């Protein structure tokens, strides 16, 4: 491992996970091979990368709108926040020439 690779490897997090979360003895932790350590850490958490098909599906489901907002979006006074509950939005203020 080069010095640059050593500097970018998250040693503190890996050691904290192995000794703290997995409760491995230091001798056991340092005896692990990289494939064994990766197997203990488990699969990558979170969604994978989006594919072209994923992007096309999003674009089809949420097309860009050109021009003034639709009557539906202009009259909507509530939206769902990231936790799924409704939040009240203030009424939109009219745009004037100086707003750009």
């Amino acid at each position: 491992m080069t010095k640059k690779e050593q500097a970018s490897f998250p040693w503190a997090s890996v050691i904290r996970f192995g000794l703290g979360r997995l409760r491995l003895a230091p001798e056991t932790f340092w005896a692990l091979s990289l494939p064994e350590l990766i197997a203990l850490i488990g699969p990558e958490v979170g969604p994978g990368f989006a594919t072209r098909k994923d992007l096309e599906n999003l674009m089809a489901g949420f097309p860009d709108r050109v021009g003034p907002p639709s009557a539906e979006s202009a009259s909507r006074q509530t939206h769902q926040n990231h936790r799924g509950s409704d939040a009240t939005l203030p009424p939109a203020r009219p745009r004037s020439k100086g707003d750009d």
Side-chain angles (χ1 to χ4, degrees), residues 6 10 25 39 49 57 60 62-65:
Q6 288 176 346
F49 291 103
N57 289 340
F62 302 95
D64 290 337
R65 297 184 195 265

Side-chain angles (χ1 to χ4, degrees), residues 30-93:
W30 290 112
L32 290 172
S33 67
L34 190 54
E36 291 170 328
L37 184 59
I38 291 170
L40 288 172
I41 291 172
E44 196 173 306
V45 178
F49 291 103
T51 64
R52 170 61 72 181
K53 187 68 178 163
D54 295 331
L55 178 59
E56 290 169 357
N57 289 340
L58 282 170
M59 290 168 58
F62 302 95
D64 290 337
R65 297 184 195 265
V66 178
S70 67
E72 175 190 339
S73 64
S75 66
R76 191 178 316 156
Q77 293 297 310
T78 62
H79 75 286
Q80 281 196 329
N81 64 21
H82 67 282
R83 292 190 179 97
S85 59
D86 286 341
T88 302
L89 294 176
R93 76 176 170 88

